């Protein structure tokens, strides 16, 4: 980013895309944001662009973008940090280590991108027990901070009869 001219450049395959702040180009917190269509059309003019509302993503044959304030990994980290002192979070982590259960995790965004739900789930059969644990934490954006607004723990563990 050239500070004086407020211009950013991206070079790929011998072609250079120049973006000057204003008219579809935004400078925010030291980062330059460019319209996906302009960037895609410049480097890949024959690509078809498609928007997927269920994943809040746009993609072409060569580029994928997400219209979210955070990446899923950033959201998972925020939720994990926010839950780190909660009794059930500590128990879930302890169970996963002691029992050796695999863990899955994912993020669900609301349409306004002001809330997300982080879901952490572990299950498996060990010995005579069918283990199943889940935690769902809803995080809501208030100004520039994300806080937990809902926290649920589910324990579906039961004796297993093969």
């Amino acid at each position: 980013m050239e500070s004086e001219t407020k211009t950013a450049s991206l070079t790929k395959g011998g072609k250079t895309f120049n973006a000057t702040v204003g008219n579809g180009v935004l400078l925010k917190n030291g980062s330059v944001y460019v319209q996906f269509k302009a960037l895609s059309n410049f480097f890949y003019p024959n690509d078809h662009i498609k928007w997927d509302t269920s994943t809040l993503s746009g993609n072409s044959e060569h580029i994928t973008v997400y219209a979210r304030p955070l990446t899923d990994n950033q959201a998972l980290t925020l939720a994990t940090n926010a839950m780190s002192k909660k009794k059930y979070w500590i128990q879930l982590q302890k169970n996963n280590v002691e029992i050796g259960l695999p863990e899955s995790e994912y993020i669900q965004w609301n349409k306004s991108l002001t809330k997300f739900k982080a879901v952490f789930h572990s299950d498996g059969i060990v010995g005579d027990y069918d283990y199943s644990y889940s935690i769902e934490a809803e995080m809501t954006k208030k100004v520039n901070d994300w806080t937990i607004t809902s926290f649920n723990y589910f324990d579906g563990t039961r004796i297993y009869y093969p």
Side-chain angles (χ1 to χ4, degrees):
M1 170 78 179
E2 173 59 45
S3 297
E4 291 177 23
T5 62
K6 294 189 178 181
T7 301
S9 299
L10 176 66
T11 301
K12 179 174 174 46
K15 290 177 77 175
T16 301
F17 179 84
N18 292 308
T20 303
V21 173
N23 218 10
V25 179
L26 179 66
L27 175 63
K28 185 174 182 181
N29 297 329
S31 294
V32 176
Y33 295 87
V34 179
Q35 291 178 342
F36 171 54
K37 184 176 181 179
L39 190 64
S40 181
N41 286 344
F42 182 83
F43 287 110
Y44 307 105
N46 296 322
D47 278 9
H48 174 72
I49 298 172
K50 181 170 72 168
W51 177 252
D52 184 345
T53 57
S54 67
T55 61
L56 300 173
S57 64
N59 62 54
S60 67
E61 287 82 3
H62 295 92
I63 303 173
T64 299
V65 296
Y66 295 95
R68 302 177 191 157
L70 304 168
T71 66
D72 284 357
N73 284 339
Q74 290 170 324
L76 287 167
T77 299
L78 274 174
T80 300
N81 291 340
M83 294 185 300
S84 66
K85 301 213 182 334
K86 291 196 175 286
K87 175 177 100 173
Y88 289 119
W89 177 257
I90 294 167
Q91 185 63 45
L92 176 78
Q93 298 305 307
K94 181 180 174 190
N95 290 345
N96 289 346
V97 170
E98 287 178 359
I99 302 169
L101 295 177
E103 184 177 308
S104 63
E105 52 194 29
Y106 61 92
I107 297 293
Q108 296 173 323
W109 287 94
N110 73 344
K111 290 188 186 235
S112 67
L113 304 176
T114 57
K115 288 183 184 182
F116 67 85
K117 184 187 293 183
V119 179
F120 301 87
H121 181 76
S122 299
D123 63 5
I125 297 172
V126 179
D128 293 335
Y129 290 92
D130 182 0
Y131 293 97
S132 179
Y133 304 103
S134 291
I135 289 179
E136 295 178 358
E138 185 175 88
M139 305 286 291
T140 302
K141 187 173 185 181
K142 295 178 181 174
V143 188
N144 290 323
D145 294 321
W146 292 90
T147 58
I148 292 180
T149 51
S150 172
F151 180 82
N152 295 300
Y153 174 77
F154 307 97
D155 183 346
T157 300
R158 62 183 189 272
I159 294 176
Y160 175 68
Y161 298 102

